[in-house]
Amino acid sequence: MYYKFSGFSQKLVGAVASAAYTPQGLKPLVSTESPALIFGTPTQLASDSPAVASYFGKNKVPELQKLFQKPDGVPVHLKRGLPDQLLYRTTMALTIGGTIYCLVALYLASQPKTKK
């Protein structure tokens, strides 16, 4: 059995399921009208699009594959020359500097404070 609050008697009274789930003064949870379209761009089917993808620029993948697969003994993260070397050395310097800074901070935190 379903119940709802009666505004007349100020008590719970028996009710049918639809009245119990939709109390007086409240709207149903499901909207009866469709929401406004946000992105109104038309869709394009895959069969309508051209068979070959068009893009701007030259395909550099074969050249980069030759560069990175060349057996010259240089690690792959340094194969592109000076920019890679600068980035690698900067990363190593920051890592070593951060490690030293953390060790100094740990050393200072481990020392007891002197009383004056």
Side-chain angles (χ1 to χ4, degrees), residues 23-101:
Q24 298 169 352
L26 297 179
K27 296 179 182 176
L29 294 176
V30 179
S31 176
T32 57
E33 56 189 45
S34 63
L37 188 61
I38 296 173
F39 299 106
T41 58
T43 57
Q44 183 178 11
L45 298 175
S47 61
D48 295 342
S49 64
V52 178
S54 61
Y55 55 89
F56 300 105
K58 181 181 169 190
N59 187 7
K60 298 178 185 177
V61 173
E63 297 168 5
L64 291 175
Q65 283 177 341
K66 288 177 186 174
L67 174 71
F68 288 126
Q69 292 175 357
K70 187 172 23 169
D72 54 1
V74 179
V76 72
H77 58 274
L78 298 175
K79 289 255 186 182
R80 294 185 91 180
L82 186 64
D84 284 345
Q85 290 175 358
L86 290 175
L87 184 63
Y88 176 75
R89 289 180 182 162
T90 303
T91 304
M92 285 296 114
L94 288 172
T95 303
I96 292 170
T99 303
I100 292 170
Y101 179 78

Side-chain angles (χ1 to χ4, degrees), residues 21 29 46 115:
Y21 286 119
L29 294 176
K115 295 183 180 180

